[in-house]
Amino acid sequence: MEQTVNPDNAPLAAQLRQLSESAAELAAQADVAGGVAHGQPFLIMGLTVFILACFVGYHVVWRVTPALHSPLMGLTNAISSVIVVGAVIALGAAEASGFSKVLAFLAVALASVNIFGGFIITRRMLHMFKKKG
Amino acid sequence: MENFAALVYLAAAVLFILALRGLSHPESARQGLLLGMTGMGIAILTTLMLPTVSGWFLIIPAVAIGGGIGTYIANKIEMTSLPQLMAAFHSLVGLAAVFVAAAAFYNPQAFGIGTPDDIHLSSLIEMSLGLAIGAVTFTGSLIAWGKLQGKISGKPVVFGGQHVLNAALGALLLVLIVLLCITESGVFFWSIALVALALGVLMIIPIGGADMPVIVSMLNSYSGWAAAGIGFTLHNNLLIITGALVGASGAILSYIMCKGMNRSFFNVILGGFGGEQAAGGPSMEGRSAKIGAAEDAAYIMKNASSVIIVPGYGMAVAQAQHALREMGDILKKHGVDVKYAIHPVAGRMPGHMNVLLAEANVSYDEVFEMENINRDFAQADVAYVIGANDITNPAAKNDSSSPIYGMPVLDVEKAKTVLFVKRSMGSGYAGIDNPLFYADNTMMLLGDAKKMTENIIKAFE
């Protein structure tokens, strides 16, 4: 870079260099901070996320109109099958015993029944709720 | 890639929250559902892209088989069978959670939580929780499904020492979890599963059919907690967030259902309600009820200026919703104001009646929740009660010896005339007689809900 810099731009180049140095410094600090976060057991982070999500769920669900409580159940049923993510990881793992593969296969299939079934039945229900006249 | 996946999972979680928020109104609900589907789609696709997921050759068929079955069932099922379908779906989430926990137990490296004989302690605890809740959800939902489908009797099954046995099994579960954490032996892993499976059965069999709205909601909640437990095990925030959302949702629905019956959650869970011992209140023997015919009902309604229709589980059983809507349409043509009143626990799952009326093309702005319509009964000419009983029982308001005393009910007796469609003069699920049958302004229409409504339609002409 520096070879091609013409004299007019020299101060700019110096500033740039300074900037990149401080960026590197910041990155190093972030690494340390990241390390601390990794050092913390996942349980604490998970629990934080869990409790906050419970509050979000509480407030969002109270706003659901009672007329749509059945579709709510269909939708929550579909999204709770997001455990398929865990099952896919287990099924796709390279070094795995046959038994754990069978378990993971069944889990993926069962969760898929729910994902497709849950979303479709919810869609069917919601398409019936119409205002007429 | 791992960081990218975590961000996509976060986006998926936000989409799920927005999907739930969409359900605050029927107009925004369909768009919300699309957001939910998008969230699920990106979560699965991103997982497939993870470097640790090496081959898709088993994943694709598993998704295809499961997805095919799910699509088929959801397209075929009758709307009246919705409660049992939900119970069946909850059982699958529970079983899937059991399998994922087991897969993690036998292949912990895949999730970075240790090696087969050296799994991190916290992961073992979380795994056993996900496993136990999943197993309880599985068998509990299966029993609920059987009761709703009529495969097993809806009557509560009670026996001596039931609660002691359940408590003992619960304690045993805790002991087994501790043993699993110490020994990491597969024997204890599967023992936890077996005990939890048994507990699921024992917890639901004492609960009567009419309490199913609470149970279906509770199992909905459990399926969420099971997913969250698996999320903790696999260190996956998306599963934790979604599990918490679903868990909270089911818990709120259970609460609303319990409030609709004026019973505590524990009272429902302990079960036995609707058995022999629940009968109470003064006997109505010897009092006479006025029994009318379809023609009388048609005449009264045609000359009314407002009719409030009160549907209950009997309407669902008789599949009377379409005939009911037709009757409403004819009445509206005659200039009669027609509204529908929904009690929170009418039917066998939350919102059951709303879905059936929507299926029959009833506009959702004609359908009102209890607290929004109860005042209107005093001004109504006719209350047409079809397939409902206990939710209209005035004894809940004025007879402190009644088992349902204190339960919020629809004030149908305040209407000028109450037309009560009922198969026979028998009592409701709780074995409670309804003084409404013998009131001066009540006319009993004895017969099948659908047939009676169709006969009324014929009589209009």
Side-chain angles (χ1 to χ4, degrees):
Chain A
M1 270 298 252
E2 276 156 63
Q3 294 95 312
T4 61
V5 169
N6 79 45
D8 293 346
N9 284 348
L12 192 67
Q15 277 175 344
L16 258 175
R17 198 165 38 238
Q18 220 170 11
L19 201 67
S20 77
E21 270 163 18
S22 51
E25 210 172 299
L26 265 173
Q29 279 173 4
D31 261 6
V32 174
V36 170
H38 281 300
Q40 208 175 39
F42 178 82
L43 188 64
I44 305 297
M45 274 308 294
L47 214 54
T48 312
V49 170
F50 178 72
I51 301 290
L52 292 178
C54 282
F55 275 93
V56 172
Y58 178 86
H59 287 286
V60 173
V61 172
W62 268 118
R63 284 183 49 188
V64 172
T65 168
L68 295 182
H69 276 163
S70 287
L72 169 67
M73 208 168 258
L75 182 68
T76 51
N77 180 71
I79 65 173
S80 63
S81 305
V82 75
I83 49 170
V84 75
V85 164
V88 163
I89 293 174
L91 188 54
E95 68 311 330
S97 68
F99 185 51
S100 77
K101 287 260 182 188
V102 172
L103 291 167
F105 185 89
L106 290 172
V108 172
L110 290 174
S112 302
V113 174
N114 256 315
I115 293 171
F116 283 78
F119 278 129
I120 290 172
I121 195 73
T122 310
R123 209 179 77 101
R124 267 184 72 194
M125 284 191 257
L126 290 178
H127 273 266
M128 299 185 311
F129 278 91
K130 295 221 168 87
K131 194 169 165 176
K132 282 109 197 168
Chain B
M1 188 62 202
E2 305 262 293
N3 286 336
F4 173 73
L7 287 175
V8 173
Y9 287 161
L10 177 62
V14 171
L15 287 171
F16 287 165
I17 293 168
L18 293 176
L20 290 177
R21 205 185 62 168
L23 290 176
S24 56
H25 194 273
E27 293 303 317
S28 57
R30 266 161 280 169
Q31 197 196 348
L33 181 67
L34 279 181
L35 295 177
M37 289 165 142
T38 311
M40 184 64 78
I42 60 171
I44 293 175
L45 285 179
T46 309
T47 309
L48 286 173
M49 301 293 179
L50 284 176
T52 51
V53 177
S54 57
W56 296 2
F57 72 101
L58 280 174
I59 298 170
I60 301 298
V63 172
I65 295 170
I69 296 172
T71 306
Y72 179 79
I73 296 174
N75 278 320
K76 279 278 164 214
I77 197 94
E78 292 278 342
M79 279 297 157
T80 34
S81 310
L82 212 51
Q84 45 270 50
L85 179 72
M86 285 303 150
F89 278 168
H90 294 152
S91 80
L92 295 184
V93 181
L95 191 58
V98 169
F99 286 147
V100 176
F105 181 72
Y106 286 101
N107 187 14
Q109 305 99 306
F111 303 101
I113 54 170
T115 51
D117 289 312
D118 185 25
I119 301 173
H120 305 155
L121 178 65
S122 62
S123 297
L124 275 173
I125 298 171
E126 294 148 1
M127 190 187 292
S128 5
L129 286 177
L131 169 70
I133 302 172
V136 167
T137 310
F138 172 54
T139 47
S141 302
L142 221 51
I143 299 292
W145 172 81
K147 290 196 175 213
L148 290 164
Q149 183 75 19
K151 297 277 178 203
I152 49 177
S153 162
K155 286 228 173 74
V157 179
V158 280
F159 53 86
Q162 196 163 25
H163 302 316
V164 180
L165 177 64
N166 287 356
L169 283 177
L172 178 61
L173 213 49
L174 288 180
V175 172
L176 287 170
I177 291 176
V178 172
L179 285 173
L180 175 71
C181 291
I182 297 169
T183 63
E184 292 191 26
S185 150
V187 177
F188 292 117
F189 183 90
W190 292 109
S191 304
I192 292 173
L194 280 179
V195 172
L197 288 172
L199 196 59
V201 174
L202 289 168
M203 266 173 64
I204 307 301
I205 51 167
I207 297 166
D211 286 346
M212 282 302 146
V214 181
I215 296 309
V216 173
S217 315
M218 181 190 85
L219 292 165
N220 182 226
S221 177
Y222 282 9
S223 68
W225 305 133
I230 298 298
F232 276 106
T233 317
L234 308 185
H235 293 190
N236 186 315
N237 279 332
L238 175 60
L239 268 63
I240 294 178
I241 295 173
T242 313
L245 292 175
V246 176
S249 167
I252 289 174
L253 288 179
S254 316
Y255 170 79
I256 295 173
M257 295 300 113
C258 287
K259 225 178 81 188
M261 298 195 291
N262 188 39
R263 293 172 56 200
S264 75
F265 184 66
F266 283 103
N267 183 291
V268 175
I269 290 305
L270 291 179
F273 203 74
E276 311 282 318
Q277 78 278 32
S283 168
M284 300 289 169
E285 299 275 313
R287 295 184 58 176
S288 65
K290 224 185 307 169
I291 294 172
E295 289 74 26
D296 306 324
Y299 178 79
I300 294 170
M301 281 198 274
K302 227 180 187 170
N303 291 300
S305 61
S306 63
V307 172
I308 300 178
I309 297 172
V310 180
Y313 182 56
M315 180 196 79
V317 174
Q319 306 240 28
Q321 65 271 28
H322 298 279
L324 200 58
R325 198 256 314 143
E326 205 183 322
M327 186 184 88
D329 284 351
I330 298 173
L331 285 173
K332 272 190 278 179
K333 252 184 241 152
H334 281 88
V336 183
D337 178 45
V338 179
K339 285 180 195 156
Y340 296 81
I342 310 288
H343 190 278
V345 294
R348 286 291 188 264
M349 73 181 284
H352 193 186
M353 292 298 120
N354 303 79
V355 170
L356 294 180
L357 291 176
E359 186 202 10
N361 263 327
V362 173
S363 176
Y364 63 74
D365 53 3
E366 290 172 16
V367 182
F368 296 88
E369 302 304 320
M370 179 166 65
E371 64 258 38
N372 297 329
I373 199 165
N374 241 355
R375 253 174 301 158
D376 298 4
F377 280 105
Q379 280 91 48
D381 291 317
V382 177
Y384 186 75
V385 183
I386 174 164
N389 185 357
D390 295 321
I391 57 168
T392 64
N393 194 335
K397 284 180 287 195
N398 50 33
D399 176 7
S400 58
S401 68
S402 171
I404 56 166
Y405 181 68
M407 168 172 155
V409 288
L410 290 160
D411 296 332
V412 289
E413 79 280 1
K414 289 190 180 148
K416 270 196 206 97
T417 308
V418 179
L419 297 173
F420 208 110
V421 184
K422 204 167 176 317
R423 224 172 325 194
S424 67
M425 289 299 291
S427 45
Y429 86 90
I432 308 154
D433 210 341
N434 192 340
L436 193 61
F437 302 165
Y438 313 100
D440 292 333
N441 61 337
T442 302
M443 180 188 279
M444 300 299 294
L445 304 168
L446 298 182
D448 174 75
K450 188 177 172 189
K451 282 235 180 66
M452 182 55 73
T453 308
E454 284 168 351
N455 288 341
I456 292 174
I457 294 169
K458 264 185 227 147
F460 280 142
E461 288 147 12

